Amino acid sequence: NNAGVYTPNRFLDYTIDQWHDTLDVNVIGAVRMCQAFLPEMLGEPFGRIINIASTAGKYGSLNQSAYNTSKHALVGLTRCLALETAATGVRVNAVCPGLVWTNFWYQLAPLLAKTNPDYEGMDGRAVFERIVSTTTPMEREQTPKDIGNLVVFLASAESCNITGQAICVDGGMTMG
């Protein structure tokens, strides 16, 4: 389950529609997929549900309460489904990426500048690099391959004793 929307805003500036959109895509989308596929998976000796959450599902963040709430909910869903399927061959885990470079950062930079004047006039790559350098102890961005490597492992038989986990791939960002 890998779908997500992100709109940074101050809590009082979010509209109810923004909350609905964020929760619908980030949580209800995963619920729908799980409801569609879990019944058949339960009849098999092996199954994996891997939710792509975020480090935002592990802590609070300034000016992103809708997103963080949705990712906390996705981690909660992961844990609840893991408990419900623990005695079966289905394992349910979440991957929590840290800062991954995509072109979306070019669209995100002006939105972030609205709530943080330090980012005014910076392009997406510059904003991204500043955030990585100030929040990630390894000072290294995560790549789609980094995330994919964990997903491949969790999808494999080698992960048969791992369930209900929300595993960060974040260069140490959530260590503290």
Side-chain angles (χ1 to χ4, degrees):
N1 292 316
N2 183 26
V5 295
Y6 173 78
T7 304
N9 223 341
R10 291 177 184 91
F11 175 80
L12 292 175
D13 294 334
Y14 276 109
T15 66
I16 291 300
D17 286 342
Q18 288 174 316
W19 275 95
H20 280 288
D21 291 344
T22 301
L23 293 170
D24 190 48
V25 172
N26 296 0
V27 182
I28 301 303
V31 168
R32 288 182 181 126
M33 293 299 291
C34 291
Q35 286 181 331
F37 291 97
L38 185 57
E40 286 188 42
M41 293 171 77
L42 289 172
E44 299 295 325
F46 180 96
R48 300 291 186 264
I49 295 173
I50 303 166
N51 294 314
I52 305 300
S54 169
T55 54
K58 302 280 233 164
Y59 59 87
S61 300
L62 187 63
N63 299 320
Q64 59 183 48
S65 57
Y67 182 75
N68 280 54
T69 298
S70 73
K71 294 304 181 171
H72 275 78
L74 189 56
V75 168
L77 172 67
T78 298
R79 291 178 176 149
C80 290
L81 282 178
L83 284 170
E84 288 189 31
T85 62
T88 74
V90 176
R91 302 294 174 255
V92 186
N93 291 290
V95 174
C96 298
L99 298 165
V100 180
W101 171 255
T102 67
N103 285 334
F104 177 66
W105 282 89
Y106 288 114
Q107 297 169 29
L108 189 57
L111 299 173
L112 291 172
K114 287 181 183 179
T115 57
N116 187 336
D118 291 344
Y119 302 140
E120 271 186 48
M122 296 174 69
D123 74 2
R125 186 69 198 184
V127 169
F128 177 79
E129 288 174 0
R130 177 175 290 175
I131 294 171
V132 167
S133 71
T134 60
T135 64
T136 306
M138 291 175 68
E139 295 185 24
R140 179 190 175 277
E141 67 188 67
Q142 290 72 67
T143 67
K145 185 176 181 180
D146 295 330
I147 309 312
N149 287 338
L150 179 56
V151 170
V152 168
F153 170 70
L154 290 173
S156 74
E158 285 78 21
S159 70
C160 67
N161 207 31
I162 300 172
T163 196
Q165 301 304 304
I167 304 169
C168 293
V169 180
D170 67 358
M173 190 165 68
T174 56
M175 278 193 298

